[in-house]
Amino acid sequence: MPIDETRYLSVAWEMWQSNQFLVPHINGLPYSHKPPLLFWLIHLGWFLFGVNAWSARLTAPLFGFAGIILTMRLAAMLWPENKEVRSAVPYILTGMFIWSLYGTLTMFDMLLVFFSLLAWLALVRVERGQKAMGWALFGLATGLGLLAKGPVILVYVLPPALFAPWWSSREGNRFWLSWYGGLLAAVTGGTVLALCWALPAARAGGVEYGQAILFGQTAGRVVHSFAHQRPFYWYGVLLPVILFPWFFCLSFWTGCRRLSLDRSVRFCLSAVVPSFFLLSAISGKQLHYSLPLLPPVALLAARGVTDRGVQFFRDRWPMVFLLGILGLVLSVIPWLPLQGRDAVMLKFLPPWIGIGPVIVAICFLFFRPSGTRQHLQSISWGILLLMIFFHLALYRPLHTLYDETALAVKISKVQEQGRMVAVYPAELSDQFQFAGRLTRPLKPMRTLREQVAWSLRNPEQFCLIFTSDRGHWLFQDGAMKQQFKHGWLILCQAAQFSGAYQQWKKGEKLLALDVSVQSRR
């Protein structure tokens, strides 16, 4: 399982077993990097079905599925006379590669997508005269979005609200005074909803935790990101990846050129363009931060490709070419003499993994859809089948490189004996709580010297270290070894670790301890 998912499940487990639901904790310390809503939803699943992995992993994907339904509802409200747009939306959205990829992961972004869509639906309701219900729904969506991933929800929901005079057919100063007054009240109400958790949590978690959740995270990510810092143009360069495969479909661009700037199209543009530039201006950038922008892009694409004048027969050739190249690259990579950490991981790729893209390309080559829906279905199903193929093909390699269950269970047994476990690098100390159902924190070590000194003082305790592909040979009898990413995890008694370190210091340079195991926040 990816590192982030493991960490989030560990946070949820530590809250659950300690009966502490106000302040998220990880490895005995307050966890300030994310708000608690996802963890609370995981707890709801555990309350209903017991503590398990499957319900926790289904939580975020269920919000992704609900996001498709809300996008269809938004299409019906924007183009009530055009049912083809509503029917095209799910195929376009599920056909987007990063939507299908991240939609299966335990992450906060699908919650953000859901609440952004809820807020946009609320704006359309207000514009059509349902003021009280609309602003109440907008405030609720904003507040829950704040509890889902913090103030970044405002990047997605405020632009269409502020640019309403551009896309609305309403006129008159009185209406717009009421509009912006309602917007202010709704955002205030949503903020108060989030503060109902944040203020008590800040007091309970301490001064440092309070500053982090109220100020540090937001200011740090916007001004000078402490993680994922990238240049302004980063999202622009990755647009072909974000919009794959539709970016390479000629009908997509033909449909976009044919769009008339009616108020529904302007609404979607106001939800995409300003938010895209705001995300580009924010220092911290990740590919999945663009997920909330995909539903309005899918709406625009659906409106464009359902135009009667759009032709689809040329779309298959770029797809055949790209998938053929992808299949060739994937087939060649395992045989290349690559060097470095990534090369260690790439050797686990099955040599036949390139077959999947080639088969999908062949299907695109010979299948000739007769209409718009069949065309969209063929591309969407092709991408979904490719995703399923990759999941099946990579299951064993990912299980080998990331599954920590056996090691976590061993750590739990060590703790049951009253022993402490010191972990180096420290970033790994929050990876085993859920898998091992740990009830006591691990001891993180920030430097190798600190780990060695602690081991010499506590020879009967245990050490968990991350070492290179060669360094694990220094640990034989009594040590538990497991491959992890580009190296090995070693669990052994502290005396054995300090002995191995002394051998390394004497000249047997096999123990290349790696301090670069990075954690993504």
Side-chain angles (χ1 to χ4, degrees):
M1 191 185 343
I3 287 178
D4 275 352
E5 289 191 59
T6 307
R7 178 177 298 110
Y8 300 152
L9 291 185
S10 292
V11 173
W13 162 251
E14 191 152 333
M15 294 173 69
W16 178 267
Q17 64 91 22
S18 65
N19 202 32
Q20 165 59 269
F21 300 106
L22 182 62
V23 179
H25 277 70
I26 184 66
N27 200 40
L29 298 174
Y31 181 74
S32 61
H33 294 275
K34 294 292 185 294
L37 183 59
L38 177 61
F39 308 130
W40 291 344
L41 293 169
I42 291 174
H43 295 153
L44 176 61
W46 287 349
F47 177 79
L48 296 174
F49 306 108
V51 176
N52 59 79
W54 65 266
S55 68
R57 293 178 187 173
L58 275 177
T59 302
L62 285 175
F63 274 84
F65 177 75
I68 296 175
I69 296 175
L70 288 185
T71 308
M72 295 175 65
R73 176 58 182 161
L74 188 56
M77 294 182 69
L78 293 176
W79 294 283
E81 75 290 345
N82 193 337
K83 294 183 179 180
E84 290 185 352
V85 175
R86 181 175 57 185
S87 62
V89 160
Y91 299 115
I92 293 176
L93 202 51
T94 56
M96 290 183 178
F97 186 80
I98 69 167
W99 178 278
S100 298
L101 174 64
Y102 287 107
T104 62
L105 303 179
T106 301
M107 302 184 73
F108 297 81
D109 300 273
M110 280 304 175
L111 277 69
L112 206 60
V113 170
F114 178 85
F115 295 123
S116 297
L117 282 163
L118 206 59
W120 295 331
L121 283 166
L123 290 177
V124 176
R125 284 181 176 273
V126 174
E127 197 269 342
R128 295 185 180 179
Q130 303 176 25
K131 294 183 180 179
M133 179 182 295
W135 287 128
L137 185 60
F138 187 90
L140 178 65
T142 302
L144 292 176
L146 289 168
L147 290 173
K149 206 179 177 181
V152 69
I153 183 69
L154 301 176
V155 171
Y156 306 105
V157 302
L158 281 185
L162 295 174
F163 286 96
W166 182 59
W167 57 263
S168 173
S169 61
R170 297 283 188 147
E171 295 180 355
N173 293 334
R174 186 174 181 180
F175 176 82
W176 292 117
L177 183 62
S178 172
W179 174 278
Y180 287 111
L183 175 62
L184 179 61
V187 172
T188 302
T191 304
V192 169
L193 176 61
L195 288 176
C196 287
W197 163 76
L199 293 179
R203 288 195 297 270
V207 175
E208 184 176 350
Y209 175 77
Q211 290 179 344
I213 64 172
L214 294 175
F215 309 106
Q217 282 289 311
T218 302
R221 292 185 189 277
V222 172
V223 179
H224 186 73
S225 178
F226 39 76
H228 325 307
Q229 186 177 0
R230 294 183 173 98
F232 177 87
Y233 55 81
W234 192 76
Y235 286 116
V237 172
L238 288 182
L239 266 181
V241 177
I242 295 172
L243 298 180
F244 183 85
W246 308 111
F247 186 91
F248 300 96
C249 293
L250 299 179
S251 61
F252 174 85
W253 297 108
T254 302
C256 289
R257 287 197 303 270
R258 288 175 174 268
L259 286 173
S260 60
L261 280 179
D262 58 38
R263 62 194 189 102
S264 298
V265 170
R266 290 199 296 266
F267 175 86
C268 294
L269 289 174
S270 70
V272 174
V273 178
S275 298
F276 182 83
F277 281 101
L278 286 172
L279 288 175
S280 299
I282 294 173
S283 178
K285 298 178 180 65
Q286 285 282 72
L287 192 61
H288 52 86
Y289 294 173
S290 64
L291 283 173
L293 303 184
L294 297 187
V297 169
L299 289 170
L300 291 170
R303 180 64 186 90
V305 299
T306 52
D307 190 295
R308 297 299 181 184
V310 176
Q311 301 294 325
F312 304 101
F313 65 91
R314 295 176 297 174
D315 278 358
R316 55 185 178 146
W317 295 111
M319 295 300 301
V320 169
F321 175 77
L322 289 170
L323 291 173
I325 293 296
L326 177 62
L328 178 63
V329 170
L330 291 176
S331 299
V332 170
I333 281 179
W335 306 101
L336 294 178
L338 302 175
Q339 301 294 326
R341 300 169 184 166
D342 292 337
V344 175
M345 300 174 68
L346 289 174
K347 72 179 182 181
F348 288 92
L349 287 177
W352 44 267
I353 194 171
I355 295 176
V358 173
I359 291 176
V360 175
I362 293 173
C363 292
F364 281 147
L365 184 62
F366 289 100
F367 180 72
R368 299 186 178 184
S370 58
T372 301
R373 177 175 291 187
Q374 290 77 13
H375 172 76
L376 297 175
Q377 285 177 342
S378 65
I379 294 181
S380 180
W381 278 110
I383 296 300
L384 286 176
L385 289 175
L386 189 60
M387 287 294 304
I388 294 172
F389 173 82
F390 282 147
H391 274 289
L392 294 176
L394 297 176
Y395 174 77
R396 187 174 295 277
L398 291 176
H399 183 81
T400 301
L401 293 173
Y402 287 98
D403 185 48
E404 304 151 344
T405 304
L407 193 59
V409 171
K410 179 64 175 179
I411 293 173
S412 178
K413 292 179 179 179
V414 169
Q415 289 187 338
E416 289 174 359
Q417 299 171 4
R419 309 287 184 89
M420 295 180 61
V421 179
V423 182
Y424 177 80
E427 289 85 357
L428 288 173
S429 61
D430 58 9
Q431 293 291 299
F432 306 94
Q433 282 72 13
F434 175 74
R437 306 297 194 269
L438 305 185
T439 57
R440 291 194 294 166
L442 304 175
K443 187 174 181 60
M445 295 294 182
R446 290 184 172 81
T447 65
L448 181 59
R449 289 178 178 272
E450 185 181 357
Q451 177 83 325
V452 173
W454 184 88
S455 300
L456 293 173
R457 293 194 307 268
N458 303 276
E460 298 300 319
Q461 306 304 324
F462 277 75
C463 291
L464 175 65
I465 63 167
F466 181 78
T467 183
S468 72
D469 195 38
R470 293 188 306 157
H472 75 93
W473 290 109
L474 282 176
F475 300 90
Q476 297 297 334
D477 298 336
M480 182 175 182
K481 301 187 291 184
Q482 178 179 317
Q483 286 181 305
F484 182 73
K485 294 186 68 177
H486 54 275
W488 289 76
L489 289 173
I490 312 292
L491 179 66
C492 62
Q493 274 198 298
Q496 187 177 6
F497 166 73
S498 57
Y501 180 78
Q502 293 302 324
Q503 292 183 40
W504 174 58
K505 291 289 286 184
K506 289 178 182 178
E508 298 181 21
K509 297 184 179 181
L510 298 176
L511 184 61
L513 290 169
D514 194 330
V515 300
S516 62
V517 180
Q518 297 295 331
S519 61
R520 294 180 300 156
R521 300 294 184 181

